[in-house]
Every structure is written in structure tokens, then in C-alpha cells.
Amino acid sequence: MTWAPERISPLQLSRSTPLQLLRSLGSGPRGLVESEAEARLVRYGENVLPARRVPSLPIVFLRSLRDPFTAVLACLALVSALVAAWATASVIAVLVVVSCALRAAGEHRADRSAAGLRELVASTATVLRRTDDGAVPVPREVPVDQVVPGDVVRLAPGDLVPADLRLLRATGLTMHQAALTGESAPVPKYPVDEPAAPAPPGAAPAHALDEQDPAHVLDEQDFDRPEVCFQGSSVASGSGTGVVVSTGADTRFARADKPHRDDRRTTAFDRSVYGISWILIRFMLLTPPLVLMANAALRGRGLETLPFAVAVAVGLTPEMLPVIVTTTLARGASALARTHQVIVKRLPALHDLGAVDVVCLDKTGTLTQDRPVLDCALDTAGRPDDSVLHWAAVNSLWTLQLAELPAADALDEALLDAAEERLPADALEYDAVAALPFDPVRRLSTAVVDTPHRLGHHTLVVKGAVEDVLERCPLSADERERAVALADRLAADGLRVLAVALAERPAAGRPYTVADERGLTLKGLVGLRDATAESAADALAALAHRGVAVKVLTGDHPGTAARACRELGLDPGEVVTAASLDGLDDAGVGELADRSTVFARCSPEQKARIVRALRERGHVTGFLGDGVNDLPALRASDVGICPPEAVDVARETADVVLAAKDLTSLDHAIVAGRGGGATIAGYLRITLSSNLGNVIAMLTAGLLLPFLPMLPAQVLVQNLCFDAAQLAFAYDRPRAAMLRRPLKLRPREVLASVTGYGVLNAAADLATFAVLVWAVSDTRGETAFHAGWFTENLLTQALVMVLLRTGRGGGIPVTAGVLALTGLLLPLSPLGPLIGMAALPLAYYPLLALVLTLYAAALHWVTRRARRPSTS
């Protein structure tokens, strides 16, 4: 009968011996029979991550309609159609479609680019399979997606772990788990025969564990278990054999992709542009009823003013906002992808990058490279001594050679590289006898070489963890205390410390064993540190110059993190261990996060909590991460950022994918985001102030005049002219001063500025109103008034575009000139009478020039006063 295993529960995994676990899985040390493996593949499915489909272009287009301002524009188009204002309805509908199409095209292109980065966790795995029950097991290379629960997998240096597995055998096995935990140092892994120790006080009882959701089979502390290897980790050194316990969606790697209930809240883009939009929406919804009631009460007009009321509401609306925002962000994202290979997957994330004032990141691979380098070699008195490096390198070289290890681990490589630089070329040339490779249990490696100039004697060179080496050295209490104190000082300074000891023995006529590692003489200590990333120091300085604070959230040792920061010129201050956060409420975490730079020993949830606390204090946060352990923080930040080599689920979660795992690409992305944000801010200030001034003046004149100050068709033509000119803002280039500090669009500040400029604009409009009342004759009163106000409105809008712009280039002066000419010539053209306008008397133009000159002078004076504090 075919075996049908249930999913392994956390209780089974933590309390079973290897033999019990193999029986539970219906497997054995010789692996599975081919037919059984095929049956399990059908039952449990392929060993692949849950499929993620790139949304189709129509789906992305429909999602774009969820933008609140776009939805309101669609409603205005519907209302315009209901009152038979077909031209207005058509124009607004075109703007909505164009905006959604631009946004959908940009985000769909980014999704496809990000999907192209997707790659398998591993391509093949070595498994033991048999043709039938009596056959000899044969190692086979099979595609990773064909691995099933119960398969016995062999691991060698450099292999990626294809699924979650429990070790059966291991020799010097260490694993890189940085993608899962953020810990940069390789973790020793070895089989454990005895069941795990009982749970600590306060832990959930066994029956509660049995009832847990499968998604919680392995918690964070399980990454420290030496007998379990996880998908997404890789073999640093040694070899091992294990049995697969979880595949596909049941692996810890896949389960980490489930979002936290508090993650991905409102972003900076939502809080700024959406905040401004909702305030405008309220005004737009109130304007038509107020116009109708005022005209009915003061002028006795009825529903015939409804088209005018709708036109006024449309006049208040920055119809081009979705188009300008989308075009600006799409151009910025396209330029980033083209010039710096940075992919912006969600267009609003580019705006968020410009507003970022705090960047949280992991240390490993960002501030440091994924390799150690030698920092010091000291004798027992703490003095530099190259002979200690010499013997450490002898151990590394001959252990590698005689034990026939496929490759040296990272620490041995660092020692050999340092020896090549600092020692004579022949310094490591010995007649080697034997080697005892590193064992994670005894935490030592030993090389045996012929003693120079002493025939018949061998020298044992032992290197390993300080405690384990000192155990084997006959030291006095004082000597041991001094050695431990020296090792502790080096460790506190962020170094990984190894002890080196020697023993000279008569040549043995038998093989050397671990029992010979006794009676050693301590030679000294070597300290290794993580190599800093080449561009990190310059990039950190650039971020500081741009007003961006950097917070380091790492799973590493506090000393290691602090040392890396100091080497790069980033003051770590007092390093906070994540455990100290547990007793604080959210407000306390926020205060601590504000004043601290480095947080060490962070779990994934602690990283996310720090990011959320910073956001609650008003910061716009970016998080740069590349591992499964970074997923909660990526989701909790305003903008999630990852390098291209990040694990698959991190790339899927992030909003921005950098060109490389360094901060230089991040600096480029932030500058591009600030450029887009400055363009949007300038557009909002100019358009809203002009629109608000026109609406105030139009409502005032509508109540004072016996006729409407402008016909609905004229309002529409005016809006069309201004809307067409506003496209130039999407091609404006912000000045360098706009890129120096984080750019945040605060709705209250924007609206306060808009109100001031809008009142000034309304004053110019009302002054023109007085000029028109004096200059226009009664015979042409209504049509000439419409023409005069139409001309003045477009001229003031052209002035506002030129005088309030914050960028350079982009053709805004030229576009403003074309807009001004349109305002002057359209009433005089054959189109003028068609929309109810007549030629103006010549006396009007000098008076209009005077009004515009005074308006321009006042606008220039107000603008200089407004900008003075920001440039001081």
C-alpha cells in the first residue's frame, strides 16, 4: 500500500529521533523507491514556491481607477453628461483614460521587468533513489521541483538547500542562513540523536503546538536548531545528508511570504497627494449647490445655471493631476531603469523615495561584503605577531588539502589571503602528515605537519573556537583569564575570534585522532571582521548630505554591527539590542528608534516594529532588505527596496529593485524620486492657486453681474488651453536646491500656500472685472466682457506658470508664451463669436497691461518672501 504521510507537525520535528522521523515519513537511510517518489509527487505537488502571476494590462488599468481623484473626475464626467455638457464630459473622460493608461503601462512594464528577475531557489538536488526495495541506492541529480517529502538529500559545499530537511549525517557542515535570519556568519549544522530539550517556562504546551497552523511549524528560534536545514540557505563548508520534511508551500521559506495584518498601511504618497485630493473633492462637491443657491437667491436663476455650476466645479479641479503625476513618475521610473538599472514596480513608490527621510537596512551585503577579512593576529600578551597568522594559515591550507574538502570556508579563505599578502611566498610549504577537519561539535580543526629541522617529530596545528582551544591547553588560572579577557575585548569590538595552538610530538605510527588534541601550547588569537562594501562609505555620506538618516537593523552581534558602522564613518552611538524593545510600548520604541542608529540581534518582527514606530512618529521610511527575514519590514515601510540578487519572495514584495546591492543605486533612486516630487509639488501649487483665484472671482462676479461672467463653453475652452499647457510641467527639471532635502507634500502646507496665491490671483481678476465694467460699452457688454475676462485669465495663468515654477528647462516659458498668445488672439479669431466672445476695445489692453504688471510684481514679491526661509 502506498504510504500517505501527513504533514510533519512541530511536535514531531522537535521531539523525534532521526529513526522515528524516518519511520514517520515512510522513508529510510537508503532513500525512496522511484515509484514511491512519483506517487508522492502526484500527492503533494511539485517542490516550487507558490506561483505569482504578473497582472495583465487590463487588470492593472482597472486598478488605476481606484485612485480617489480619478474616480471623482469620472463622476464629474458623468454629471456633465447628465446636464448635456457633452464637451466637458468628453474631455474629462479622455483625461481619465489617458491617466489610467499611462499608469497601467508603466506599472505593467515594471512588473514584467521584476518577473524577469525571478529565479529558482536551486536548479537540481542530489537524492538517493532505488529502482525497487532490494536495489542498491544510487545518488541521482533530479530537478528541485521533483524533490518530495521523505527524499534523502546529499549536500556539498556551494549547494543550495532544496527543501526543509532534518540532518542524518554531517561532516564539518556549516550553512549560510543570511537570507533567512540576516546572520552573516555561517551556522554549524549537525545531526542530533536525542529529542529537543523541553520548552522553556511560559512556552505553549505540547497539545497547543500540535494544533497550530502548519504555517507556524517553525518559529524564528528554529533557525538556531543544528539538526534542521532550511530551503533558501546554502552550504558554506562540509557535507551532509538529510531527509526532506517539507516541500513547496510548506517550507519555512514559502510560509514567510504571508503578510502581517498590520503591514503595508497608507504610504507617503497616499498621505500627501490623496490628502490634497480629498480636500479638493470636498470643495468640488460643495461648489455646485452653493452656486445654484446663490444665483437662485440673488438673481432668481433656476436650473439653467446648473451647467455653469458644473463648469465652476470643473474649473476648480486640477483635471491634469492624474496625468501629470503619472507622466512625471513614469518618466522618472523609465530614466532610472535606463540609466541606473533600477526598477520601480509601483509608480507612487518613486514619489515615496523622494519623501524618505529615514532608510533602514541590514548590515550584511549592504554595508559589508559577504566575506570576512583578517583584522589582527595577536600573541598571548595582545601584541601583533605574524607568526600567529602563519600557523593559522598552515592549519587552513593543509586541512583543506589533506581532508580533501571541495573548498575552503570563508574564514580559511580570509586567513590564506592575508598570509599571501603578509608572509613570504614559501611560508606555508611543509611536509603535511594528516588533518582532522573542522567539526561543529568540537569546533576545532587540526593539521599535522613535519616539524622543521627535527627529524621524527610532528607539529599539531590546532585552530578553532577560543573556549574549545583553551580547554585543551594546560594553562594557569591567570593565563586562562588573560586569554579569555583578550578574546572578549576582540569580540566586543565586533571581531570573530579564533585561537591558534601548537603541540610538538614524536612521530606516531598510527593515525591521528581527536584524542591527540591535548596538551597544546596557546600561540595567540586571530580576529576577523566583515569586509566593508567598497562604495558604502561614499554612499552613506551622500545620504547624510541629502538629509536621510540611516538605521541599521541586523541580526548580527552588536559589536560586529558597530564596528562596520565606525569603519564607514557612520556613528553607531549606543547599540540597542532588540531584546530591550520587548518591554517598551510603541511610543517608547519610536522614541528609542529616533535617537538610535544600530539595532542588533533583530528578529523579522522586531525589524517591522521599528519601521512602524518610525512611521508613527511622522517619518517616511524606506527599508532595504534581501532575505526572507526582511519581508515584514519591507511590507511595513513606506517603500520597500531590495537588490536584484534578493530572494524571490523579497523581490516580489519590494516596490523598488536596485541595480546592485549597494547604497549608490539607492542614492540615485532617491534623487529621481525628489525630482518627481518637486515637479508634482510645483504643478499643484501653480494650478491650484490659479484655479482657486479664478473660481473665487467667477463666483463673486456671477453674483454681481446680471449675466454669467463666463459661459460653460468658454470655461471649458479656457480649461482645455490651460490643461494643454500644463503638460509642460511633466518635463520640468527641478533645480539642485530642490533635491537637497526630503520632499514631503503636506496637504495643509500646500493648501495654505495655494490659498495665499489664489487670493492674489482673485484680486487681479476682480481688478480686471472693474476695468471691464468701465471699458466695455453697453452694446457689446456681455460678449466683450466674456472675451476680456477670458483673455485676462489665460494671461494670469501664463504669468503664474513662469513666476511660480521651481524647475528649469522643460519648455515652460515657451508654453506659457503660447498660452498668452492664445488668450489674446482667440477672441479676435473666427472662433471667438462661435463661443460667445466679441472683439475688445483698444482702451482695454493698456489697462489690462497695468493690472498684469501690478499682479506680476506682487506675485514676485510674495514668492521671494516665501522662498527666503528655505534657502537660508
Side-chain angles (χ1 to χ4, degrees), residues 369-377 386 388-398 400 407-425 427-428 463 526-531:
Q369 302 177 44
D370 292 326
R371 65 180 183 87
V373 294
L374 180 73
D375 183 83
C376 61
D386 277 351
V388 178
L389 169 61
H390 165 261
W391 288 114
V394 167
N395 173 282
S396 296
L397 175 64
W398 293 110
L400 176 66
D409 70 11
L411 297 179
D412 286 333
E413 286 180 348
L415 292 170
L416 292 173
D417 288 343
E420 185 177 354
E421 293 177 4
R422 295 166 55 170
L423 301 179
L428 306 184
K463 169 173 61 65
V526 291
L528 300 103
R529 56 178 172 82
D530 289 335

Side-chain angles (χ1 to χ4, degrees), residues 9 52 98 111 159 195 201 239 287 341 364 390 469 560 594 611 719 832 843 846:
S9 72
R52 289 176 176 265
V98 169
D111 282 338
D159 284 352
S239 60
T287 299
Q341 290 76 52
T364 306
H390 165 261
V469 172
T560 304
D594 240 350
V611 171
N719 288 344

Side-chain angles (χ1 to χ4, degrees), residues 101-184:
L102 287 172
R103 183 167 178 173
E107 295 193 3
H108 184 67
R109 189 183 307 113
D111 282 338
R112 290 178 63 86
S113 298
L117 295 172
R118 186 180 176 90
E119 57 192 16
L120 290 174
V121 174
S123 56
T124 62
T126 304
V127 300
L128 293 180
R129 294 276 177 88
R130 296 171 288 153
T131 55
D132 55 57
D133 286 334
V136 175
V138 177
R140 285 191 50 196
E141 290 287 324
V142 300
V144 162
D145 58 12
Q146 305 298 303
V147 173
V148 297
D151 258 328
V152 174
V153 176
R154 287 185 174 177
L155 300 174
D159 284 352
L160 294 171
V161 179
D164 291 348
L165 54 88
R166 170 80 174 266
L167 285 175
L168 303 176
R169 292 183 297 277
T171 301
L173 183 64
T174 61
M175 307 292 296
H176 284 301
Q177 292 188 159
L180 299 168
T181 65
E183 182 74 42
S184 59

